[in-house]
């Protein structure tokens, strides 16, 4: 279990953590998903933009720049027409979802 307590919280609570879940051989990013922002019918949740930890890598950075310059974002649908439909989808929340779930699954 993990103990969670916010800066303005008067109540601490234990949250169960799953340790048996398989992990990738190499982890390039840690993040939290923002499931509350997913619209009905959408498959891929965005990332919570307030918590994102990435392994520094110049090749990954270059690929991000290429994705942004390509501009394959469809309004209301998201990156590649799939990773979006929620607040922040055109920014880091949707871009990271597209990168780590669509282009490089199993690395985050």
């Amino acid at each position: 279990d993990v103990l969670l307590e916010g800066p303005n919280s008067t109540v601490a609570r234990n949250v169960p953590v799953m340790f048996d879940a398989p992990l990738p051989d190499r982890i390039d990013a840690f993040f939290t998903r923002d499931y509350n922002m997913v619209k009905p019918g959408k498959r891929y949740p965005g990332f919570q933009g307030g918590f994102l930890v990435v392994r520094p890598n110049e090749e990954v950075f270059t690929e991000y720049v290429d994705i942004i310059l390509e501009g394959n974002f469809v309004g209301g649908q998201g990156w590649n027409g799939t990773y979006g439909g929620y607040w922040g989808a055109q920014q880091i929340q949707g871009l990271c979802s597209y990168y780590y779930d669509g282009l490089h699954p199993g690395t985050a």
Side-chain angles (χ1 to χ4, degrees):
D1 287 358
V2 174
L3 180 65
L4 294 179
E5 186 174 0
N8 300 322
S9 175
T10 58
V11 178
R13 60 188 170 119
N14 285 329
V15 177
V17 177
M18 295 175 51
F19 288 104
D20 343 348
L23 294 175
D25 292 333
R26 177 182 167 97
I27 299 174
D28 290 324
F30 286 104
F31 52 84
T32 55
R33 295 185 187 276
D34 203 346
Y35 290 100
N36 294 330
M37 296 298 289
V38 179
K39 291 183 180 179
K42 287 291 187 178
R43 181 175 176 188
Y44 303 103
F47 289 13
Q48 209 294 324
F51 179 76
L52 175 63
V53 179
V54 296
R55 180 186 307 270
N57 183 321
E58 194 169 337
E59 291 175 17
V60 171
F61 175 77
T62 300
E63 190 172 359
Y64 265 107
V65 170
D66 291 344
I67 291 167
I68 293 167
L69 292 176
E70 178 185 3
N72 190 6
F73 183 86
V74 179
Q77 296 177 21
W79 291 97
N80 198 34
T82 306
Y83 295 85
Y86 42 80
W87 181 262
Q90 192 170 6
Q91 294 129 14
I92 198 75
Q93 291 91 328
L95 184 59
C96 285
S97 179
Y98 173 54
Y99 186 86
Y100 289 108
D101 289 341
L103 299 177
H104 300 281
T107 61

